[in-house]
Amino acid sequence: MAASNGHVSASPGAWLSVALIVVGFILGTFALIAHSLPLWIVTGVVMIAGIVAGFASRIMEQAY
């Protein structure tokens, strides 16, 4: 749905995708510092969930 200025507003799924990817990078930072394999696994799961959510919400179709 386009706004009055022609910009397409982002869907909640797109915001969820971006949030998951950001959380994944933050977790990855802590995993790197702590040398924690379980935290790396959680990081990978969160990042993959963010990528899947991005594809499911068609995040790239919501760009200008």
Side-chain angles (χ1 to χ4, degrees):
M1 172 183 321
S4 62
N5 62 359
H7 180 72
V8 178
S9 60
S11 69
W15 282 108
L16 175 66
S17 173
V18 170
L20 284 171
I21 292 170
V22 168
V23 167
F25 274 103
I26 292 170
L27 286 174
T29 301
F30 288 120
L32 185 63
I33 294 169
H35 301 284
S36 172
L37 181 61
L39 195 53
W40 274 117
I41 293 170
V42 171
T43 298
V45 169
V46 170
M47 294 291 285
I48 291 171
I51 292 168
V52 168
F55 279 118
S57 67
R58 297 182 176 189
I59 194 170
M60 296 309 291
E61 293 179 10
Q62 297 173 27
Y64 295 95

